[in-house]
Amino acid sequence: MRAVCSDCHVPHAWGPKVVRKIKASGELYHKLRGTIDTPEKFEAKRAELAAHVWETMKSTDSRECRNCHSFEAMDFEKQGRRSRREMEVVALEGHAPDGSSTCIDCHKGIAHNLPKTEE
């Protein structure tokens, strides 16, 4: 199985999907304007774009992740020791031992390489 962009970036439910499509109209403006029309421009904006996506995912409780993944379907026995410990706590208590509570809190960079950040 392979996820495509829309699996993670477009809600499945009709109402949230319409809202996302409306917000995407701003992306069309930037496409036409050429804001990130080269790999160099994209890379320069990548951290900002990622932060926006992570903020959105956090605000929706990682709804798009949960369209495909559920705790009931997870086989904790097949996970690594640390992952298993963290995920079992989240499944039972609704948050990880460190207090994070939604998928994107722990899984940034799961589908894309993390953007380079200045230190």
Side-chain angles (χ1 to χ4, degrees):
M1 183 174 153
R2 183 179 171 104
V4 296
C5 301
S6 60
D7 291 324
C8 300
H9 295 281
V10 179
H12 291 193
W14 188 83
K17 183 184 288 192
V18 170
V19 170
R20 177 65 186 106
K21 296 283 185 177
I22 292 167
K23 288 180 180 179
S25 64
E27 295 167 14
L28 291 173
Y29 166 77
H30 288 285
K31 173 77 172 166
L32 295 170
R33 191 167 167 234
T35 306
I36 57 171
D37 61 353
T38 67
E40 295 78 20
K41 287 181 183 178
F42 175 74
E43 206 52 50
K45 296 276 285 176
R46 196 158 171 247
E48 178 185 337
L49 296 168
H52 178 71
V53 171
W54 296 334
E55 179 183 313
T56 299
M57 292 181 82
K58 194 166 176 65
S59 74
T60 64
D61 192 26
S62 298
R63 175 185 51 224
E64 285 68 39
C65 300
R66 297 171 200 284
N67 283 330
C68 299
H69 301 282
S70 68
F71 292 118
E72 297 77 27
M74 289 182 190
D75 186 346
F76 295 115
E77 297 293 323
K78 291 184 179 178
Q79 294 179 356
R81 188 178 68 219
R82 180 172 167 245
S83 298
R84 177 182 177 177
R85 183 180 67 239
E86 299 276 331
M87 293 302 290
E88 285 179 329
V89 172
V90 174
L92 290 171
E93 298 180 14
H95 60 83
D98 69 359
S100 57
S101 62
T102 192
C103 307
I104 200 63
D105 289 329
C106 299
H107 294 284
K108 289 177 181 163
I110 194 91
H112 300 281
N113 293 324
L114 288 170
K116 293 180 177 91
T117 57
E118 294 185 35
E119 297 171 26

Short mmCIF file of all heavy atoms in Angstrom, two decimals, residues 59-118:
data_model
loop_
_atom_site.label_atom_id
_atom_site.label_comp_id
_atom_site.label_asym_id
_atom_site.label_seq_id
_atom_site.Cartn_x
_atom_site.Cartn_y
_atom_site.Cartn_z
N SER A 59 -4.15 21.01 14.88
CA SER A 59 -5.45 21.60 15.17
C SER A 59 -6.61 20.66 14.83
O SER A 59 -7.71 20.81 15.37
CB SER A 59 -5.62 22.92 14.43
OG SER A 59 -5.84 22.71 13.06
N THR A 60 -6.37 19.70 13.95
CA THR A 60 -7.42 18.74 13.60
C THR A 60 -7.21 17.38 14.29
O THR A 60 -7.84 16.39 13.92
CB THR A 60 -7.49 18.51 12.08
OG1 THR A 60 -6.27 17.92 11.64
CG2 THR A 60 -7.77 19.79 11.33
N ASP A 61 -6.32 17.36 15.29
CA ASP A 61 -5.99 16.12 15.99
C ASP A 61 -5.53 15.03 15.01
O ASP A 61 -5.90 13.88 15.11
CB ASP A 61 -7.19 15.62 16.82
CG ASP A 61 -6.81 14.52 17.79
OD1 ASP A 61 -5.62 14.45 18.20
OD2 ASP A 61 -7.70 13.71 18.14
N SER A 62 -4.74 15.45 14.04
CA SER A 62 -4.18 14.54 13.03
C SER A 62 -5.27 13.71 12.35
O SER A 62 -5.11 12.52 12.10
CB SER A 62 -3.10 13.64 13.63
OG SER A 62 -2.02 14.41 14.11
N ARG A 63 -6.39 14.36 12.03
CA ARG A 63 -7.55 13.70 11.44
C ARG A 63 -7.17 12.87 10.22
O ARG A 63 -7.64 11.74 10.06
CB ARG A 63 -8.58 14.75 11.05
CG ARG A 63 -9.80 14.21 10.31
CD ARG A 63 -10.73 15.31 9.83
NE ARG A 63 -10.00 16.33 9.11
CZ ARG A 63 -10.20 17.64 9.29
NH1 ARG A 63 -11.12 18.08 10.12
NH2 ARG A 63 -9.49 18.51 8.62
N GLU A 64 -6.31 13.40 9.35
CA GLU A 64 -5.98 12.67 8.13
C GLU A 64 -5.18 11.40 8.44
O GLU A 64 -5.32 10.41 7.74
CB GLU A 64 -5.24 13.58 7.14
CG GLU A 64 -6.16 14.57 6.45
CD GLU A 64 -6.72 15.64 7.37
OE1 GLU A 64 -6.00 16.15 8.25
OE2 GLU A 64 -7.91 15.98 7.22
N CYS A 65 -4.37 11.42 9.48
CA CYS A 65 -3.66 10.19 9.89
C CYS A 65 -4.67 9.13 10.31
O CYS A 65 -4.57 7.96 9.95
CB CYS A 65 -2.73 10.46 11.06
SG CYS A 65 -1.45 11.69 10.76
N ARG A 66 -5.66 9.57 11.07
CA ARG A 66 -6.65 8.65 11.63
C ARG A 66 -7.62 8.11 10.59
O ARG A 66 -8.34 7.15 10.84
CB ARG A 66 -7.41 9.33 12.76
CG ARG A 66 -6.47 9.70 13.92
CD ARG A 66 -7.18 10.57 14.96
NE ARG A 66 -6.25 11.29 15.79
CZ ARG A 66 -5.55 10.78 16.78
NH1 ARG A 66 -5.65 9.51 17.06
NH2 ARG A 66 -4.72 11.52 17.47
N ASN A 67 -7.63 8.72 9.38
CA ASN A 67 -8.44 8.15 8.31
C ASN A 67 -7.95 6.75 7.95
O ASN A 67 -8.73 5.90 7.54
CB ASN A 67 -8.40 9.03 7.06
CG ASN A 67 -9.27 10.26 7.19
OD1 ASN A 67 -10.29 10.24 7.88
ND2 ASN A 67 -8.88 11.32 6.53
N CYS A 68 -6.66 6.53 8.07
CA CYS A 68 -6.08 5.24 7.69
C CYS A 68 -5.59 4.42 8.88
O CYS A 68 -5.53 3.20 8.81
CB CYS A 68 -4.90 5.45 6.74
SG CYS A 68 -5.35 6.27 5.20
N HIS A 69 -5.19 5.09 9.96
CA HIS A 69 -4.59 4.39 11.10
C HIS A 69 -5.51 4.44 12.32
O HIS A 69 -6.08 5.48 12.62
CB HIS A 69 -3.25 5.04 11.48
CG HIS A 69 -2.27 5.04 10.37
ND1 HIS A 69 -1.54 3.93 10.01
CD2 HIS A 69 -1.89 6.03 9.52
CE1 HIS A 69 -0.76 4.23 8.99
NE2 HIS A 69 -0.95 5.50 8.67
N SER A 70 -5.60 3.33 13.02
CA SER A 70 -6.35 3.31 14.27
C SER A 70 -5.58 2.45 15.27
O SER A 70 -4.86 1.52 14.89
CB SER A 70 -7.75 2.72 14.06
OG SER A 70 -7.68 1.35 13.76
N PHE A 71 -5.75 2.76 16.53
CA PHE A 71 -5.06 1.98 17.56
C PHE A 71 -5.55 0.53 17.55
O PHE A 71 -4.79 -0.39 17.80
CB PHE A 71 -5.28 2.59 18.95
CG PHE A 71 -4.61 3.93 19.11
CD1 PHE A 71 -5.35 5.07 19.36
CD2 PHE A 71 -3.24 4.05 19.01
CE1 PHE A 71 -4.74 6.30 19.51
CE2 PHE A 71 -2.61 5.28 19.16
CZ PHE A 71 -3.37 6.41 19.40
N GLU A 72 -6.83 0.34 17.24
CA GLU A 72 -7.40 -1.00 17.22
C GLU A 72 -6.74 -1.89 16.17
O GLU A 72 -6.65 -3.11 16.35
CB GLU A 72 -8.92 -0.94 16.96
CG GLU A 72 -9.72 -0.22 18.03
CD GLU A 72 -9.62 1.31 17.96
OE1 GLU A 72 -9.39 1.86 16.87
OE2 GLU A 72 -9.74 1.94 19.03
N ALA A 73 -6.27 -1.30 15.09
CA ALA A 73 -5.65 -2.07 14.01
C ALA A 73 -4.14 -2.24 14.19
O ALA A 73 -3.53 -2.98 13.45
CB ALA A 73 -5.95 -1.41 12.67
N MET A 74 -3.56 -1.56 15.17
CA MET A 74 -2.11 -1.64 15.37
C MET A 74 -1.73 -2.92 16.08
O MET A 74 -2.39 -3.34 17.02
CB MET A 74 -1.62 -0.45 16.20
CG MET A 74 -1.65 0.83 15.46
SD MET A 74 -1.00 2.17 16.50
CE MET A 74 -1.45 3.56 15.48
N ASP A 75 -0.66 -3.53 15.60
CA ASP A 75 -0.11 -4.71 16.26
C ASP A 75 1.10 -4.23 17.06
O ASP A 75 2.21 -4.12 16.54
CB ASP A 75 0.29 -5.76 15.23
CG ASP A 75 0.72 -7.06 15.87
OD1 ASP A 75 0.97 -7.09 17.10
OD2 ASP A 75 0.81 -8.07 15.14
N PHE A 76 0.87 -3.94 18.34
CA PHE A 76 1.93 -3.40 19.19
C PHE A 76 3.11 -4.37 19.31
O PHE A 76 4.24 -3.96 19.51
CB PHE A 76 1.39 -3.03 20.57
CG PHE A 76 0.38 -1.92 20.53
CD1 PHE A 76 -0.93 -2.15 20.89
CD2 PHE A 76 0.74 -0.64 20.13
CE1 PHE A 76 -1.87 -1.13 20.86
CE2 PHE A 76 -0.19 0.39 20.10
CZ PHE A 76 -1.50 0.14 20.46
N GLU A 77 2.85 -5.66 19.18
CA GLU A 77 3.90 -6.67 19.28
C GLU A 77 4.94 -6.52 18.16
O GLU A 77 6.09 -6.89 18.34
CB GLU A 77 3.30 -8.08 19.21
CG GLU A 77 2.37 -8.41 20.37
CD GLU A 77 3.09 -8.51 21.70
OE1 GLU A 77 4.24 -9.00 21.72
OE2 GLU A 77 2.51 -8.08 22.71
N LYS A 78 4.55 -5.96 17.03
CA LYS A 78 5.47 -5.81 15.89
C LYS A 78 6.23 -4.50 15.92
O LYS A 78 7.10 -4.26 15.09
CB LYS A 78 4.70 -5.93 14.58
CG LYS A 78 4.19 -7.34 14.33
CD LYS A 78 3.52 -7.44 12.98
CE LYS A 78 3.05 -8.86 12.75
NZ LYS A 78 2.34 -8.97 11.47
N GLN A 79 5.93 -3.64 16.88
CA GLN A 79 6.61 -2.36 16.99
C GLN A 79 7.87 -2.50 17.83
O GLN A 79 7.99 -3.42 18.64
CB GLN A 79 5.68 -1.32 17.63
CG GLN A 79 4.49 -0.99 16.77
CD GLN A 79 3.57 0.02 17.42
OE1 GLN A 79 3.78 0.44 18.56
NE2 GLN A 79 2.55 0.42 16.70
N GLY A 80 8.79 -1.58 17.62
CA GLY A 80 9.99 -1.55 18.44
C GLY A 80 9.63 -1.27 19.89
O GLY A 80 8.54 -0.78 20.19
N ARG A 81 10.53 -1.57 20.80
CA ARG A 81 10.26 -1.43 22.24
C ARG A 81 9.81 -0.01 22.62
O ARG A 81 8.80 0.17 23.29
CB ARG A 81 11.50 -1.84 23.04
CG ARG A 81 11.24 -1.92 24.53
CD ARG A 81 12.46 -2.38 25.30
NE ARG A 81 13.46 -1.33 25.21
CZ ARG A 81 14.77 -1.54 25.05
NH1 ARG A 81 15.23 -2.76 25.01
NH2 ARG A 81 15.61 -0.54 24.97
N ARG A 82 10.55 0.99 22.17
CA ARG A 82 10.21 2.38 22.52
C ARG A 82 8.88 2.79 21.88
O ARG A 82 8.02 3.38 22.53
CB ARG A 82 11.32 3.32 22.08
CG ARG A 82 11.01 4.76 22.42
CD ARG A 82 12.22 5.66 22.15
NE ARG A 82 11.80 7.03 22.20
CZ ARG A 82 11.81 7.85 21.17
NH1 ARG A 82 12.26 7.43 20.00
NH2 ARG A 82 11.40 9.09 21.28
N SER A 83 8.72 2.47 20.59
CA SER A 83 7.47 2.82 19.90
C SER A 83 6.28 2.15 20.58
O SER A 83 5.23 2.78 20.78
CB SER A 83 7.53 2.38 18.44
OG SER A 83 8.55 3.05 17.77
N ARG A 84 6.45 0.90 20.89
CA ARG A 84 5.36 0.15 21.53
C ARG A 84 4.97 0.81 22.86
O ARG A 84 3.80 1.02 23.14
CB ARG A 84 5.79 -1.29 21.76
CG ARG A 84 4.75 -2.10 22.48
CD ARG A 84 5.23 -3.49 22.71
NE ARG A 84 4.24 -4.23 23.46
CZ ARG A 84 4.35 -5.49 23.78
NH1 ARG A 84 5.40 -6.18 23.39
NH2 ARG A 84 3.41 -6.08 24.47
N ARG A 85 5.97 1.14 23.67
CA ARG A 85 5.70 1.75 24.98
C ARG A 85 4.93 3.07 24.80
O ARG A 85 3.92 3.30 25.47
CB ARG A 85 7.02 1.98 25.72
CG ARG A 85 6.85 2.56 27.11
CD ARG A 85 8.18 2.76 27.82
NE ARG A 85 8.97 3.79 27.17
CZ ARG A 85 10.19 3.60 26.65
NH1 ARG A 85 10.77 2.42 26.73
NH2 ARG A 85 10.83 4.59 26.09
N GLU A 86 5.39 3.91 23.88
CA GLU A 86 4.74 5.21 23.64
C GLU A 86 3.32 5.03 23.10
O GLU A 86 2.38 5.66 23.57
CB GLU A 86 5.57 6.04 22.66
CG GLU A 86 6.96 6.36 23.13
CD GLU A 86 7.03 7.57 24.04
OE1 GLU A 86 6.19 8.46 23.89
OE2 GLU A 86 7.94 7.61 24.89
N MET A 87 3.17 4.19 22.07
CA MET A 87 1.87 4.04 21.41
C MET A 87 0.84 3.38 22.33
O MET A 87 -0.34 3.73 22.28
CB MET A 87 2.02 3.23 20.12
CG MET A 87 2.80 3.95 19.05
SD MET A 87 2.11 5.56 18.57
CE MET A 87 0.63 5.04 17.73
N GLU A 88 1.25 2.45 23.15
CA GLU A 88 0.30 1.82 24.07
C GLU A 88 -0.24 2.84 25.07
O GLU A 88 -1.43 2.84 25.39
CB GLU A 88 0.94 0.64 24.79
CG GLU A 88 1.07 -0.58 23.90
CD GLU A 88 1.71 -1.77 24.59
OE1 GLU A 88 2.57 -1.57 25.49
OE2 GLU A 88 1.36 -2.90 24.23
N VAL A 89 0.62 3.73 25.55
CA VAL A 89 0.18 4.79 26.48
C VAL A 89 -0.80 5.72 25.77
O VAL A 89 -1.86 6.05 26.31
CB VAL A 89 1.38 5.57 27.05
CG1 VAL A 89 0.91 6.78 27.84
CG2 VAL A 89 2.23 4.67 27.93
N VAL A 90 -0.48 6.13 24.55
CA VAL A 90 -1.37 7.01 23.80
C VAL A 90 -2.72 6.34 23.59
O VAL A 90 -3.78 6.96 23.77
CB VAL A 90 -0.75 7.43 22.44
CG1 VAL A 90 -1.75 8.22 21.61
CG2 VAL A 90 0.51 8.24 22.66
N ALA A 91 -2.71 5.07 23.23
CA ALA A 91 -3.96 4.34 22.98
C ALA A 91 -4.82 4.27 24.24
O ALA A 91 -6.04 4.40 24.17
CB ALA A 91 -3.66 2.94 22.46
N LEU A 92 -4.19 4.09 25.39
CA LEU A 92 -4.94 3.96 26.65
C LEU A 92 -5.32 5.29 27.28
O LEU A 92 -6.42 5.47 27.79
CB LEU A 92 -4.13 3.14 27.66
CG LEU A 92 -3.96 1.67 27.35
CD1 LEU A 92 -2.96 1.03 28.31
CD2 LEU A 92 -5.30 0.95 27.40
N GLU A 93 -4.39 6.26 27.25
CA GLU A 93 -4.58 7.50 28.00
C GLU A 93 -4.89 8.72 27.12
O GLU A 93 -5.24 9.76 27.63
CB GLU A 93 -3.34 7.79 28.85
CG GLU A 93 -3.08 6.70 29.88
CD GLU A 93 -1.86 6.98 30.73
OE1 GLU A 93 -1.34 8.12 30.70
OE2 GLU A 93 -1.41 6.05 31.41
N GLY A 94 -4.71 8.59 25.80
CA GLY A 94 -4.99 9.70 24.91
C GLY A 94 -3.84 10.66 24.72
O GLY A 94 -3.96 11.65 24.02
N HIS A 95 -2.71 10.38 25.36
CA HIS A 95 -1.51 11.21 25.17
C HIS A 95 -0.28 10.37 25.49
O HIS A 95 -0.35 9.39 26.21
CB HIS A 95 -1.54 12.45 26.08
CG HIS A 95 -1.60 12.13 27.53
ND1 HIS A 95 -0.48 11.84 28.26
CD2 HIS A 95 -2.66 12.02 28.37
CE1 HIS A 95 -0.83 11.57 29.51
NE2 HIS A 95 -2.15 11.68 29.60
N ALA A 96 0.84 10.80 24.91
CA ALA A 96 2.10 10.09 25.13
C ALA A 96 2.67 10.45 26.50
O ALA A 96 2.24 11.43 27.11
CB ALA A 96 3.10 10.47 24.03
N PRO A 97 3.62 9.67 27.00
CA PRO A 97 4.22 9.97 28.30
C PRO A 97 4.80 11.39 28.39
O PRO A 97 4.82 11.99 29.46
CB PRO A 97 5.34 8.93 28.43
CG PRO A 97 4.87 7.78 27.60
CD PRO A 97 4.13 8.41 26.44
N ASP A 98 5.24 11.95 27.25
CA ASP A 98 5.79 13.31 27.27
C ASP A 98 4.71 14.39 27.20
O ASP A 98 5.00 15.57 27.14
CB ASP A 98 6.81 13.50 26.16
CG ASP A 98 6.19 13.50 24.77
OD1 ASP A 98 4.97 13.32 24.64
OD2 ASP A 98 6.95 13.67 23.80
N GLY A 99 3.44 13.98 27.15
CA GLY A 99 2.34 14.94 27.12
C GLY A 99 1.81 15.25 25.74
O GLY A 99 0.77 15.87 25.59
N SER A 100 2.53 14.83 24.69
CA SER A 100 2.03 15.07 23.33
C SER A 100 0.78 14.23 23.12
O SER A 100 0.60 13.18 23.73
CB SER A 100 3.10 14.75 22.29
OG SER A 100 3.54 13.42 22.42
N SER A 101 -0.11 14.75 22.25
CA SER A 101 -1.40 14.08 22.19
C SER A 101 -1.91 13.76 20.79
O SER A 101 -2.97 13.18 20.66
CB SER A 101 -2.44 14.94 22.89
OG SER A 101 -2.56 16.19 22.24
N THR A 102 -1.18 14.13 19.76
CA THR A 102 -1.67 13.83 18.43
C THR A 102 -0.53 13.31 17.57
O THR A 102 0.64 13.53 17.87
CB THR A 102 -2.37 15.07 17.81
OG1 THR A 102 -3.07 14.67 16.65
CG2 THR A 102 -1.40 16.19 17.52
N CYS A 103 -0.86 12.62 16.52
CA CYS A 103 0.13 11.90 15.71
C CYS A 103 1.31 12.77 15.30
O CYS A 103 2.46 12.35 15.41
CB CYS A 103 -0.54 11.33 14.45
SG CYS A 103 -2.00 10.33 14.76
N ILE A 104 1.03 13.97 14.82
CA ILE A 104 2.09 14.82 14.27
C ILE A 104 3.08 15.29 15.34
O ILE A 104 4.21 15.64 15.03
CB ILE A 104 1.49 16.00 13.46
CG1 ILE A 104 2.53 16.58 12.49
CG2 ILE A 104 0.91 17.06 14.37
CD1 ILE A 104 3.01 15.62 11.43
N ASP A 105 2.68 15.25 16.61
CA ASP A 105 3.61 15.63 17.67
C ASP A 105 4.86 14.74 17.65
O ASP A 105 5.96 15.21 17.89
CB ASP A 105 2.94 15.51 19.05
CG ASP A 105 1.89 16.57 19.29
OD1 ASP A 105 2.04 17.69 18.76
OD2 ASP A 105 0.92 16.27 20.00
N CYS A 106 4.67 13.47 17.35
CA CYS A 106 5.79 12.52 17.37
C CYS A 106 6.27 12.10 15.98
O CYS A 106 7.38 11.61 15.83
CB CYS A 106 5.39 11.25 18.12
SG CYS A 106 4.96 11.53 19.83
N HIS A 107 5.43 12.29 14.97
CA HIS A 107 5.73 11.73 13.66
C HIS A 107 6.03 12.76 12.58
O HIS A 107 5.77 12.52 11.41
CB HIS A 107 4.57 10.81 13.21
CG HIS A 107 4.43 9.60 14.06
ND1 HIS A 107 5.27 8.52 13.96
CD2 HIS A 107 3.53 9.31 15.04
CE1 HIS A 107 4.90 7.61 14.84
NE2 HIS A 107 3.85 8.06 15.51
N LYS A 108 6.62 13.88 12.95
CA LYS A 108 7.06 14.85 11.93
C LYS A 108 8.14 14.18 11.09
O LYS A 108 9.02 13.52 11.61
CB LYS A 108 7.62 16.11 12.60
CG LYS A 108 6.55 16.94 13.25
CD LYS A 108 7.15 18.14 13.96
CE LYS A 108 6.03 18.92 14.62
NZ LYS A 108 6.52 19.84 15.62
N GLY A 109 8.04 14.35 9.80
CA GLY A 109 9.04 13.75 8.92
C GLY A 109 8.76 12.30 8.57
O GLY A 109 9.58 11.66 7.95
N ILE A 110 7.60 11.79 8.95
CA ILE A 110 7.28 10.39 8.67
C ILE A 110 7.08 10.14 7.18
O ILE A 110 7.43 9.10 6.66
CB ILE A 110 6.06 9.90 9.49
CG1 ILE A 110 5.92 8.39 9.48
CG2 ILE A 110 4.76 10.53 9.01
CD1 ILE A 110 6.63 7.73 10.59
N ALA A 111 6.53 11.10 6.46
CA ALA A 111 6.28 10.94 5.03
C ALA A 111 7.24 11.75 4.17
O ALA A 111 7.41 11.47 3.00
CB ALA A 111 4.84 11.32 4.70
N HIS A 112 7.83 12.78 4.75
CA HIS A 112 8.78 13.63 4.02
C HIS A 112 10.04 13.75 4.87
O HIS A 112 10.01 13.59 6.07
CB HIS A 112 8.22 15.05 3.87
CG HIS A 112 6.93 15.14 3.13
ND1 HIS A 112 6.86 15.08 1.77
CD2 HIS A 112 5.66 15.29 3.58
CE1 HIS A 112 5.60 15.20 1.40
NE2 HIS A 112 4.85 15.32 2.46
N ASN A 113 11.14 14.06 4.21
CA ASN A 113 12.34 14.39 4.99
C ASN A 113 12.08 15.70 5.70
O ASN A 113 11.44 16.60 5.16
CB ASN A 113 13.55 14.54 4.06
CG ASN A 113 13.93 13.23 3.43
OD1 ASN A 113 13.82 12.17 4.03
ND2 ASN A 113 14.35 13.29 2.18
N LEU A 114 12.56 15.81 6.92
CA LEU A 114 12.39 17.05 7.66
C LEU A 114 13.12 18.19 6.96
O LEU A 114 14.21 17.99 6.41
CB LEU A 114 12.92 16.90 9.08
CG LEU A 114 12.08 16.02 10.01
CD1 LEU A 114 12.84 15.75 11.31
CD2 LEU A 114 10.75 16.68 10.31
N PRO A 115 12.54 19.38 6.99
CA PRO A 115 13.24 20.52 6.39
C PRO A 115 14.48 20.89 7.20
O PRO A 115 14.53 20.66 8.40
CB PRO A 115 12.21 21.64 6.43
CG PRO A 115 11.21 21.24 7.45
CD PRO A 115 11.25 19.75 7.54
N LYS A 116 15.45 21.45 6.51
CA LYS A 116 16.65 21.93 7.21
C LYS A 116 16.27 23.19 7.98
O LYS A 116 15.55 24.04 7.47
CB LYS A 116 17.75 22.24 6.21
CG LYS A 116 18.28 21.02 5.50
CD LYS A 116 19.38 21.40 4.53
CE LYS A 116 19.95 20.17 3.90
NZ LYS A 116 19.30 19.79 2.65
N THR A 117 16.73 23.27 9.19
CA THR A 117 16.47 24.47 10.00
C THR A 117 17.78 25.09 10.39
O THR A 117 18.79 24.39 10.59
CB THR A 117 15.65 24.13 11.26
OG1 THR A 117 16.35 23.14 12.02
CG2 THR A 117 14.27 23.62 10.91
N GLU A 118 17.77 26.40 10.49
CA GLU A 118 18.98 27.09 10.93
C GLU A 118 19.09 26.98 12.43
O GLU A 118 18.11 27.09 13.14
CB GLU A 118 18.90 28.56 10.51
CG GLU A 118 18.93 28.72 9.01
CD GLU A 118 18.97 30.17 8.59
OE1 GLU A 118 19.61 30.98 9.29
OE2 GLU A 118 18.34 30.47 7.57
#
